[in-house]
Amino acid sequence: MRLKISLLKEPKHILLICVGWTTAEELYSCSDDHQIVKWNLLTGETSQIVKLPDDIYPIDLHWFPKSLGIKKQTQAESFVLTSSDGKFHLISKLGRVEKSVEAHCGAVLAGRWNYEGTALVTVGEDGQIKIWSKTGMLRSTLAQQGTPVYSVAWGPDSEKVLYTAGKQLIIKPLQPNAKVLQWKAHDGIILKVDWNSVNDLILSAGEDCKYKVWDSYGRPLYNSLPHEHPITSVAWAPDGELFAVGSFHTLRLCDKTGWSYALEKPNTGSIFNIAWSIDGTQIAGACGNGHVVFAHVVEQRWEWKNFQVTLTKRRTMQVRNVLNDAVDLLEFRDRVIKASLNYAHLVVSTSLQCYVFSTKNWNTPLIFDLKEGTVSLILQAERHFLLVDGGGIYLYSYEGRFISSPKFPGMRTDILNAQTVSLSNDTIAIKDKADEKIIFLFEASTGKPLGDGKLLSHKNEILEIALDQKGLTNDRKIAFIDKNRDLYITSVKRFGKEEQIIKLGTMVHTLAWSDTCNILCGLQDTRFTVWYYPNTVYVDRDILPKTLYERDASEFSKNPHIVSFVGNQVTIRRADGSLVHISISPYPAILHEYVSGSKWEDAVRLCRFVKEQTMWACLAAMAVANRDMTTAEIAYAAIGEIDKVQYINSIKDLPSKESKMAHILMFSGNIQEAEMVLLQAGLVYQAIQININLYNWERALELAVKYKTHVDTVLAYRQKFLETFGKQETNKRYLQYAEVSNMEMWDSYKMNCLLRPHPNYQSHSTWPTIVFSGICKIIFNSGK
């Protein structure tokens, strides 16, 4: 990836200060010559919009945001301009000054609208940070510093403000008495900051000639080497994947993790201000020599198996098949904005249309018009793909047929990225930005909430989500990483009962599912880990460690990221930008294929051929999950789990089909389901017995009372259990039913004695002795 620079021969300004885009092809610039100039990139024309009064020397410009609630404007209609006389000016697109407001003592150094367009923040030489309404009415003075504040940025939720204070960075919430975060960020005065709403990362640049990347807690993620000159400008691309850095005769394009894609040395002087176009394909820079420098992002690359696609020009792509070195050129009517290559299809979005190419035929793409031009994200699954733009989320088939458009309360599509949205053949998962502990789940075919409509809720904030790609809809799983860097897995189908959310690993930084089978990989603290069969946690958690593949991850350096997991090859990008390819064993994927086709004999034969404990452990878990106990017995014997082999043998000897099913469910730890199977089959005593065997005394008594059977049996087992440990009964329910049982025994004995003569009866004189002996028996049995 690199930048293609373009400059006019003659500058249009004397000393340029600030620039801002209205659309992807139109830019406004202003400078100390009091001119506001409009640039049309389609025609290459420039025109003066207005000449400001001589006492207005512009410093910063920011357009009112296009997206305001649900209503969408096609383009920005007004902007705020800050100036050196202590005022900010609200100016229409036609150049009319709608309002001028006295804001600060000294120059107003920066002004920024929040993402909703409901508030404006300004900072100045007087060290004050002020919040204003949309119409320019002062709401509050957020803070007062002893030094000038050179730059300011809103937090992603518009509830916090980031600003500079000398060498310090400060994050101040709008709520009074909320905790303020402050840290030393640079060794020189900080000149520029930017905070991205998609990735929640912070950029800072200073007179110490460095630029740095921080997370929202002030933890450093990247620290650049010193440049020759102070860094005068930084800016995030709208999707948060790239950022640009400006300095004296320097323009740099960087990845979000900090490493550099490209370095250009245009003859511009210092670049004081950088603005990204709305679609994220080009940069405009305000230069100290009066020029506006334009830079287009080109030579982006996408790879899948033996295909490599490169964006050579704004409207041209080159496809190379590395197997036979065949090259195809793809021409587009409009500039390319986003592209994705996966599952044997290339999906390309331009400013107006979407193109779908098959890797089998590059000559005849399927083309359809887009509802809104600026696509910010493309996700692919085997059967369909997802487009995200400013208007919504849209699912299309590879034949171009519109399938669905999921919606949820408070949906903001401009902050969605590949970590917060996931797609499979039947499910769409989206992390909620308002409450980051919640994941919305939708049916892909209808766009309606999945199952009973309940949201997936976790105890901590969720950072990254990923759906598995293969298997049946009812078995669909989602894996996610929370803010503690713990990896969890759970089922997406949720009908009434609460699904278990089970922890798979700790200190996991990034994860990916294989595109061919449900194998999960992740980078843990110092290890690269592959979960060959993650569903083992639902079947037999004891053997989960035996189903893992682990290797040292120190070679990937700090903060690596998994780019893709195709077939048995994992691609990892290191912190310096280099790509590392790891090949894992192909045998687990073959095992998955055999099991999905119920080819158990082939699966056993494969494991015997490979002779690895990992394969046998995966097969054992797969066999139990699919209720094939014969294969499970062979697999457990191979990994030395003798106790489980014996239990499986005992299951085989059970008389009824329902009993076997219940004990298989118990083997997997699904006690409630096992009990339900027995009760539905009318095997009440067995349901009671499994609770007794598990010492679940409350439930055993509850079932006995509910079905009015075997209460005395439960009491007898309980009494024997207490006697074994030398304990006295303290459970109130057991004491109550023991007393009732004794009374029933007494009544029953009296009736028997009255209705039939005792076999030892000889005369009336022996009657009291017989009754007395019966009473003694009852008293003795009750323990009284």
Side-chain angles (χ1 to χ4, degrees):
M1 194 182 300
R2 67 177 183 87
L3 292 173
K4 186 179 178 183
I5 299 288
S6 58
L7 276 169
L8 291 180
K9 290 181 180 178
E10 295 295 329
K12 291 289 181 181
H13 294 279
I14 297 172
L15 175 65
L16 197 60
I17 299 297
C18 46
V19 289
W21 297 85
T22 57
T23 67
E25 300 290 357
E26 188 177 84
L27 180 91
Y28 277 49
S29 63
C30 58
S31 77
D32 280 356
D33 59 9
H34 313 292
Q35 292 185 80
I36 296 178
V37 175
K38 180 171 77 172
W39 304 68
N40 189 318
L41 271 67
L42 286 175
T43 61
E45 296 176 352
T46 58
S47 57
Q48 180 179 308
I49 296 298
V50 68
K51 193 171 191 308
L52 297 168
D54 290 345
D55 59 340
I56 295 179
Y57 291 89
I59 294 177
D60 193 22
L61 176 154
H62 193 228
W63 283 92
F64 190 81
K66 277 175 49 174
S67 303
L68 183 59
I70 298 172
K71 294 181 180 178
K72 303 286 176 186
Q73 299 174 344
T74 55
Q75 55 186 13
E77 295 297 330
S78 64
F79 60 91
V80 61
L81 186 74
T82 68
S83 58
S84 60
D85 59 357
K87 296 179 181 178
F88 69 82
H89 313 273
L90 301 179
I91 303 175
S92 73
K93 190 181 177 186
L94 299 175
R96 187 173 67 253
V97 179
E98 305 284 356
K99 192 172 187 178
S100 295
V101 179
E102 290 277 358
H104 294 265
C105 297
V108 185
L109 298 177
R112 284 288 178 271
W113 295 105
N114 68 356
Y115 293 102
E116 292 79 26
T118 56
L120 171 72
V121 61
T122 60
V123 295
E125 285 184 327
D126 57 2
Q128 291 187 334
I129 298 93
K130 295 184 176 181
I131 308 294
W132 308 81
S133 72
K134 186 169 68 172
T135 56
M137 302 295 290
L138 180 64
R139 286 183 180 170
S140 65
T141 301
L142 191 65
Q144 170 74 58
Q145 299 291 129
T147 56
V149 180
Y150 288 101
S151 189
V152 67
W154 287 94
D157 56 2
S158 297
E159 294 294 326
K160 298 175 184 175
V161 170
L162 165 73
Y163 58 91
T164 68
K167 302 174 184 179
Q168 307 272 325
L169 283 179
I170 300 172
I171 296 177
K172 170 96 174 172
L174 298 188
Q175 290 83 9
N177 303 321
K179 185 180 178 182
V180 177
L181 184 63
Q182 179 173 348
W183 71 97
K184 183 184 176 183
H186 287 261
D187 295 324
I189 291 173
I190 301 170
L191 301 176
K192 281 284 182 180
V193 293
D194 197 11
W195 194 347
N196 188 258
S197 62
V198 179
N199 61 30
D200 200 22
L201 298 181
I202 292 168
L203 277 175
S204 64
E207 289 187 345
D208 59 356
C209 305
K210 293 181 180 180
Y211 63 89
K212 300 185 181 184
V213 183
W214 313 84
D215 68 9
S216 56
Y217 300 99
R219 293 177 296 208
L221 301 180
Y222 182 81
N223 185 356
S224 77
L225 294 172
H227 289 57
E228 294 179 16
H229 302 282
I231 308 295
T232 49
S233 55
V234 286
W236 281 109
D239 63 2
E241 294 298 315
L242 304 169
F243 65 88
V245 178
S247 182
F248 182 76
H249 286 343
T250 301
L251 182 61
R252 188 184 288 273
L253 179 67
C254 301
D255 183 77
K256 66 180 178 183
T257 53
W259 58 273
S260 183
Y261 274 111
L263 174 64
E264 302 292 337
K265 291 285 189 178
N267 185 23
T268 56
S270 291
I271 299 177
F272 290 115
N273 183 255
I274 291 176
W276 283 84
S277 63
I278 295 159
D279 57 16
T281 61
Q282 48 197 335
I283 304 165
C287 309
N289 62 3
H291 275 290
V292 175
V293 59
F294 293 98
H296 301 290
V297 180
V298 293
E299 292 190 11
Q300 290 168 278
R301 283 191 176 87
W302 297 267
E303 293 179 356
W304 181 78
K305 292 189 176 178
N306 54 301
F307 292 99
Q308 185 185 69
V309 178
T310 306
L311 180 68
T312 54
K313 298 178 183 177
R314 296 179 69 194
R315 297 182 178 87
T316 307
M317 279 181 159
Q318 183 190 79
V319 182
R320 182 181 295 276
N321 186 338
V322 297
L323 291 181
N324 55 18
D325 218 26
V327 175
D328 291 278
L329 285 179
L330 311 179
E331 300 282 348
F332 302 94
R333 192 183 69 184
D334 307 293
R335 71 186 182 284
V336 173
I337 294 175
K338 284 283 177 185
S340 176
L341 176 62
N342 214 337
Y343 296 102
H345 287 88
L346 171 67
V347 181
V348 180
S349 73
T350 67
S351 54
L352 298 173
Q353 294 175 313
C354 181
Y355 295 73
V356 183
F357 296 87
S358 169
T359 55
K360 296 175 183 176
N361 184 4
W362 296 104
N363 298 320
T364 53
L366 188 138
I367 307 170
F368 60 89
D369 292 333
L370 293 170
K371 296 184 179 180
E372 185 169 316
T374 308
V375 171
S376 57
L377 180 66
I378 302 175
L379 288 179
Q380 289 180 256
E382 188 179 17
R383 297 177 191 163
H384 40 235
F385 64 95
L386 190 76
L387 297 181
V388 179
D389 64 20
I393 302 166
Y394 309 102
L395 190 68
Y396 292 91
S397 70
Y398 287 113
E399 292 76 40
R401 180 175 57 85
F402 174 73
I403 299 172
S404 65
S405 178
K407 291 180 172 61
F408 57 90
M411 183 171 76
R412 272 185 64 188
T413 56
D414 59 320
I415 57 174
L416 298 178
N417 63 7
Q419 282 73 49
T420 56
V421 185
S422 187
L423 176 68
S424 72
N425 284 335
D426 44 56
T427 309
I428 303 169
I430 304 171
K431 189 188 83 170
D432 187 14
K433 188 66 177 177
D435 183 356
E436 296 194 343
K437 298 177 183 179
I438 287 175
I439 299 172
F440 293 102
L441 299 167
F442 302 95
E443 287 182 14
S445 58
T446 62
K448 294 179 180 177
L450 198 66
D452 56 7
K454 283 188 177 179
L455 305 175
L456 172 54
S457 180
H458 186 52
K459 59 187 176 182
N460 293 321
E461 286 87 352
I462 296 167
L463 300 179
E464 185 174 350
I465 63 174
L467 288 162
D468 65 8
Q469 297 299 311
K470 291 292 182 177
L472 301 172
T473 307
N474 289 336
D475 296 330
R476 182 72 57 230
K477 298 291 188 294
I478 184 169
F480 60 86
I481 301 171
D482 69 8
K483 73 169 187 178
N484 295 330
R485 291 293 173 185
D486 292 330
L487 172 63
Y488 291 86
I489 189 170
T490 187
S491 176
V492 300
K493 281 283 185 181
R494 316 178 83 74
F495 286 101
K497 65 173 185 174
E498 193 67 30
E499 289 289 343
Q500 281 184 301
I501 299 176
I502 303 175
K503 186 189 286 190
L504 272 181
T506 58
M507 294 306 293
V508 181
H509 301 285
T510 176
L511 79 159
W513 288 95
S514 169
D515 66 337
T516 54
C517 56
N518 290 337
I519 296 176
L520 178 68
C521 73
L523 284 164
Q524 292 186 268
D525 197 16
T526 57
R527 305 184 310 282
F528 170 70
T529 306
V530 180
W531 289 266
Y532 284 133
Y533 187 58
N535 285 3
T536 305
V537 292
Y538 291 98
V539 178
D540 186 355
R541 210 176 299 186
D542 297 338
I543 64 169
L544 179 64
K546 295 181 180 180
T547 65
L548 305 183
Y549 165 74
E550 293 182 311
R551 61 174 281 180
D552 181 49
S554 57
E555 63 178 290
F556 307 132
S557 69
K558 189 181 177 185
N559 295 329
H561 176 71
I562 297 174
V563 177
S564 65
F565 187 0
V566 179
N568 65 325
Q569 188 175 73
V570 181
T571 304
I572 297 172
R573 191 177 291 281
R574 302 192 336 176
D576 60 1
S578 60
L579 291 173
V580 180
H581 302 283
I582 298 175
S583 290
I584 63 170
S585 171
Y587 296 119
I590 299 170
L591 184 65
H592 275 271
E593 188 180 338
Y594 282 153
V595 170
S596 63
S598 299
K599 299 176 182 177
W600 296 105
E601 289 181 5
D602 291 340
V604 172
R605 201 176 296 119
L606 176 68
C607 291
R608 284 176 177 155
F609 169 74
V610 177
K611 296 177 183 175
E612 283 184 8
Q613 189 184 53
T614 306
M615 293 286 288
W616 284 114
C618 289
L619 181 60
M622 290 173 178
V624 174
N626 288 276
R627 316 283 190 257
D628 190 312
M629 302 316 286
T630 304
T631 306
E633 184 183 358
I634 297 168
Y636 274 114
I639 58 174
E641 299 280 344
I642 306 304
D643 55 333
K644 290 172 182 173
V645 174
Q646 290 176 340
Y647 186 75
I648 291 168
N649 276 323
S650 71
I651 292 174
K652 287 181 178 179
D653 296 334
L654 292 171
S656 69
K657 182 182 174 182
E658 290 81 7
S659 296
K660 288 179 181 178
M661 177 62 73
H663 281 79
I664 291 171
L665 289 167
M666 281 181 64
F667 184 88
S668 305
N670 300 317
I671 311 302
Q672 290 182 340
E673 289 182 37
E675 183 188 287
M676 196 181 300
V677 167
L678 291 171
L679 292 175
Q680 287 174 351
L683 303 172
V684 178
Y685 176 70
Q686 286 194 37
I688 294 169
Q689 189 66 50
I690 64 170
N691 282 290
I692 291 172
N693 293 342
L694 294 168
Y695 304 113
N696 191 357
W697 299 107
E698 287 278 356
R699 181 60 179 165
L701 183 59
E702 185 183 326
L703 287 173
V705 172
K706 181 179 178 181
Y707 290 95
K708 298 178 182 178
T709 182
H710 297 293
V711 176
D712 53 343
T713 309
V714 176
L715 294 173
Y717 271 107
R718 174 73 172 181
Q719 186 64 34
K720 186 179 177 182
F721 169 76
L722 292 172
E723 287 173 0
T724 304
F725 292 97
K727 301 280 187 181
Q728 290 292 321
E729 183 61 80
T730 56
N731 189 303
K732 291 182 179 179
R733 291 197 71 192
Y734 272 90
L735 288 170
Q736 175 191 342
Y737 282 103
E739 192 172 333
V740 169
S741 179
N742 289 338
M743 290 299 295
E744 287 175 351
M745 284 173 65
W746 168 238
D747 292 343
S748 175
Y749 196 80
K750 283 194 296 182
M751 290 298 295
N752 283 337
C753 292
L754 291 170
L755 293 174
R756 60 182 174 84
H758 195 274
N760 296 330
Y761 174 75
Q762 293 174 353
S763 66
H764 289 285
S765 61
T766 60
W767 178 256
T769 308
I770 295 166
V771 173
F772 179 73
S773 67
I775 293 169
C776 289
K777 272 186 184 177
I778 293 170
I779 293 170
F780 176 76
N781 287 335
S782 67
K784 295 180 182 178

